[in-house]
Each structure stands twice: as C-alpha cells, then as structure tokens.
C-alpha cells in the first residue's frame, strides 16, 4: 500500500512548534471588516493553538508517513 500524501491545504494552514503544539490562525480576518471593531480585528491577528482533541488528526494530515 502506498504512503499517504501530505495534504497541501493543511500544510499551508498549520505550523508545528518546537514543543509539538500545532499553531493555527483565526478565521474571519479576510473580508467584511468594516462592521468589526478594531479590538476584534486585532485579536483575530493573534495566533491560536489547535484543540487537544484535534491534534492527532492534524498531525496525520501534515506529516506524510
């Protein structure tokens, strides 16, 4: 059976930190920004970490083993 390919979409959206956590970006920062407050937009710029329950799934998409 051939190896599973890396999912390019996931590869572009997630980064693995040195400690093994998976970093992601917040959604909602691309359009319809006029009705969102400055504080809300600034908070969307900050990175976030993937939930512990989803980490195994994301790692299988990122790493091709």
């Amino acid at each position: 059976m051939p190896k599973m390919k890396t999912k390019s979409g996931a590869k572009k959206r997630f980064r693995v930190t040195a400690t093994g956590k998976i970093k992601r970006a917040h959604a909602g920062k691309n359009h319809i920004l006029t009705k969102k407050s400055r504080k809300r937009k600034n908070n969307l710029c900050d990175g976030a970490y993937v939930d512990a329950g989803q980490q195994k799934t994301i790692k299988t998409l990122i790493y091709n083993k």
Side-chain angles (χ1 to χ4, degrees), residues 1-6 64-65:
M1 188 170 176
K3 285 194 229 175
M4 192 173 109
K5 286 192 176 182
T6 302
N64 55 353
K65 290 185 179 178

Side-chain angles (χ1 to χ4, degrees), residues 13-27:
R13 286 173 173 82
F14 300 103
R15 294 280 174 265
V16 181
T17 62
T19 57
K21 292 179 184 175
I22 300 174
K23 206 168 182 191
R24 65 171 176 85
H26 281 284

Side-chain angles (χ1 to χ4, degrees), residues 2-65:
K3 285 194 229 175
M4 192 173 109
K5 286 192 176 182
T6 302
K7 303 295 179 200
S8 347
K11 199 167 54 175
K12 294 168 193 169
R13 286 173 173 82
F14 300 103
R15 294 280 174 265
V16 181
T17 62
T19 57
K21 292 179 184 175
I22 300 174
K23 206 168 182 191
R24 65 171 176 85
H26 281 284
K29 189 68 176 34
N30 285 326
H31 63 119
I32 316 175
L33 298 173
T34 51
K35 62 176 84 169
K36 295 171 187 166
S37 68
R38 179 183 291 261
K39 180 182 176 182
R40 184 172 163 194
K41 287 185 277 193
N42 285 341
N43 287 336
L44 286 175
C45 279
D46 296 336
Y49 293 104
V50 171
D51 190 52
Q54 292 290 314
Q55 278 193 356
K56 186 180 175 186
T57 310
I58 301 298
K59 279 185 179 175
T60 57
L61 296 174
I62 293 175
Y63 299 127
N64 55 353
K65 290 185 179 178

